[in-house]
Amino acid sequence: SGVDIRPHHCCITNVGGHVTIYPFAEDCDTYVDGHLISTPERSLAKRPGLPETAIQPTKLSHRGRLILGRHH
């Protein structure tokens, strides 16, 4: 919870040591290492098992900076 953080904001997965994050929609502001990753160009519209508005996954790295919401 917090300012501009939605109840279902994003998903973070760890599969075999590979950690990824994907925002659930364009309006779920999510930044990785200072880069906004929740943009229309990264949409995964109509992928099975994902919300219709999901954004493509982004790989997270050790010591990477993750920011959810607009206030940081």
Side-chain angles (χ1 to χ4, degrees), residues 48-63:
L50 294 177
E52 219 173 88
T53 55
I55 306 296
Q56 71 182 346
T58 298
K59 183 178 178 184
L60 299 177
S61 59
H62 181 67
R63 300 189 65 151

Side-chain angles (χ1 to χ4, degrees), residues 3 22 24 27 61 65 67-68:
V3 177
Y22 65 86
F24 286 141
D27 63 347
S61 59
R65 184 172 181 220
I67 297 172
L68 305 180

Side-chain angles (χ1 to χ4, degrees), residues 3-5 9-10 21 29-31 66-71:
V3 177
D4 293 324
I5 299 176
H9 195 92
C10 63
I21 182 171
D29 286 359
T30 305
Y31 296 82
L66 176 62
I67 297 172
L68 305 180
R70 294 183 187 148
H71 301 280

